[in-house]
Amino acid sequence: MGRERFAYNRSMTMAAIALLVGVVAPDSLRVDVLSLLVPQQVEIVCAHRTLELPNGGRLAPGSRLVLVRDGRDVIASAPGGWRWRGSGLAVGAPGERLSVDVRGRDSRTRVLPGPVEVGSDGVRLRVVATYDLEAFVASAVAAELDQVVEPATLEAAAVTIRSYAVARPARHEGEGVDVCDTTHCVHSRGLVEDATPAAGAARATRGLVLTSGGRVVPGYCTACCGGRTATPSLLWGVEDTGQHESIVCTACSASRYYRWRRVVRTDAVVSAVEGLVGGRLGSDVDLREVAGPGAWVLAVVVRGGGRERRVGGDAFRMAVDRRLGWDSIPSPRFTIERRSGSLVIRGGGHGHGIGLCVAGAVARARRGASRDAILTAYFPRARLQLLGAGPSVYSCLF
């Protein structure tokens, strides 16, 4: 397997190549926006043209459409006295740029492609934007690699993220969306300008995906693997598809997250775990991590309240982070040491640890590695292929 394994093979005809893989590539993705805010109010503005609204309503350029939740209904209002009530409302034409303010536990503003759909599930407003695939890739690269400038790394991430979007693991099955814009799926922050490095990386890799065994690989990005990547089967207990491999990575050793130490209050961690297991644990709680290959924590055994429970290592980490802050346990590779009133947690890496290690990819790019060499390093079982027009995936390999 050579360094430049992903070289374009121009000798193969498209007619022959098209037989290699048959995959339906999405033209667009439905993205659940800012759900962590538990939105209660949404304001939408279109700066460039008048928006048509139900019942003859019209929203002038620059005017605000306000949507609030009332149980499972959405109440919408606009300047001039227009009001509407219903189960949900779609605003804007396909591809239109809309400024959307979302307010709940906090406030955020996103520039989203139309149509933007706003509905209510009885707890929050659900905001769904429909992205063109390549626009989503650019948005996700900008968010996941916020401070990265190395073109090879940005392009490797664009291929990885596009592969995830095309493969679309069924993490929101039955919810009417393809992905969310949080780290649960792929972090994104709305549409980005064409002149940004992220948009350039998406253009430079347009249509390229990773495949293995005739299927598109669900590409994952992690901030820092801490020395060895994980796999979905190792970390989450899902079926091993053979598309991912746990690899040794020393390239990320300069990252401040390569090794880390945290001291957290025992009672706060216990409270977070009680929310996870759904029951009281009492005052005398024992926590013991069960690690697998690469020291990734498969599970945490929780003893307390006269019972023993076993929770997933990544689920434990996420529960504690939600309670104490998103950097409390940076990765699911950790050890727990109990002290009086506190827990000393030591570990390595930042994020789930699967797939493309961004810190490692940056270091490799600075040493001169190409996009394809970076992809080979983190996805050694994968082939690079080009999505063609229509329902097929066309190879650009071998």
Side-chain angles (χ1 to χ4, degrees):
M1 185 181 295
R3 175 183 174 92
E4 297 299 332
R5 188 169 71 90
F6 296 141
Y8 186 75
N9 186 340
R10 297 181 183 276
S11 65
M12 299 178 71
T13 65
M14 276 298 179
I17 294 170
L19 298 176
L20 292 173
V21 184
V23 173
V24 175
D27 293 324
S28 60
L29 290 170
R30 290 172 54 81
V31 181
D32 190 359
V33 178
L34 293 172
S35 60
L36 292 180
L37 297 187
V38 191
Q40 302 298 311
Q41 179 173 313
V42 174
E43 298 184 8
I44 300 176
V45 177
C46 181
H48 306 295
R49 75 175 189 90
T50 298
L51 295 181
E52 301 297 327
L53 302 174
N55 302 329
R58 295 167 66 85
L59 187 71
S63 297
R64 288 185 172 267
L65 174 68
V66 179
L67 304 104
V68 297
R69 185 181 69 83
D70 184 14
R72 290 189 171 274
D73 280 352
V74 176
I75 299 176
S77 59
W82 179 87
R83 286 179 62 84
W84 177 92
R85 183 184 187 114
S87 59
L89 184 63
V91 180
E96 194 159 37
R97 296 175 69 92
L98 302 173
S99 177
V100 181
D101 294 333
V102 178
R103 302 178 185 181
R105 291 173 176 166
D106 201 350
S107 299
R108 295 284 190 279
T109 300
R110 295 283 186 266
V111 177
L112 299 175
V116 171
E117 302 169 32
V118 182
S120 172
D121 62 8
V123 176
R124 66 177 174 97
L125 291 175
R126 167 164 275 190
V127 183
V128 178
T130 301
Y131 279 78
D132 170 83
L133 175 60
E134 297 302 327
F136 176 78
V137 171
S139 174
V141 170
E144 294 271 3
L145 287 78
D146 188 25
Q147 303 299 317
V148 176
V149 297
E150 291 75 13
T153 303
L154 293 171
E155 290 180 20
V159 173
T160 302
I161 290 167
R162 186 180 296 106
S163 301
Y164 182 94
V166 173
R168 291 200 310 283
R171 310 191 80 180
H172 290 279
E173 192 171 5
E175 297 179 30
V177 298
D178 298 310
V179 296
C180 65
D181 68 350
T182 75
T183 52
H184 176 265
C185 290
V186 181
H187 189 31
S188 61
R189 296 177 183 165
L191 292 172
V192 298
E193 298 296 333
D194 289 342
T196 61
R203 285 193 300 272
T205 63
R206 186 177 183 88
L208 290 175
V209 294
L210 297 162
T211 67
S212 177
R215 292 176 295 177
V216 178
V217 176
Y220 294 91
C221 291
T222 193
C224 175
C225 72
R228 188 180 187 96
T229 64
T231 66
S233 58
L234 175 65
L235 200 60
W236 299 320
V238 298
E239 180 184 358
D240 186 357
T241 63
Q243 295 176 301
H244 297 86
E245 185 174 334
S246 177
I247 63 132
V248 174
C249 168
T250 58
C252 62
S253 59
S255 170
R256 66 190 178 95
Y257 284 103
Y258 187 73
R259 296 291 179 265
W260 46 262
R261 177 180 181 272
R262 301 287 188 270
V263 179
V264 295
R265 299 193 331 270
T266 302
D267 60 343
V269 173
V270 169
S271 179
V273 176
E274 285 178 340
L276 186 63
V277 301
R280 297 286 296 173
L281 296 173
S283 58
D284 187 20
V285 177
D286 179 63
L287 302 171
R288 177 175 59 86
E289 72 276 4
V290 179
W296 294 99
V297 176
L298 305 178
V300 175
V301 177
V302 183
R303 293 191 182 95
R307 297 176 59 190
E308 179 177 296
R309 301 166 177 85
R310 186 182 177 102
V311 300
D314 201 39
F316 173 85
R317 172 181 77 99
M318 296 297 287
V320 173
D321 279 1
R322 288 191 187 97
R323 180 81 178 188
L324 302 182
W326 289 107
D327 205 35
S328 299
I329 305 180
S331 85
R333 173 191 274 177
F334 57 83
T335 61
I336 304 171
E337 178 187 346
R338 185 158 190 172
R339 294 186 181 175
S340 178
S342 65
L343 299 174
V344 178
I345 303 178
R346 294 182 175 87
H350 189 202
H352 50 60
I354 301 171
L356 180 74
C357 171
V358 172
V362 168
R364 292 172 189 270
R366 289 175 179 173
R367 295 199 297 260
S370 67
R371 172 200 73 196
D372 296 351
I374 291 170
L375 290 170
T376 299
Y378 292 105
F379 299 95
R381 299 182 182 181
R383 298 162 61 96
L384 190 64
Q385 298 189 313
L386 179 65
L387 292 167
S392 297
V393 174
Y394 296 96
S395 173
C396 59
L397 273 185
F398 318 131

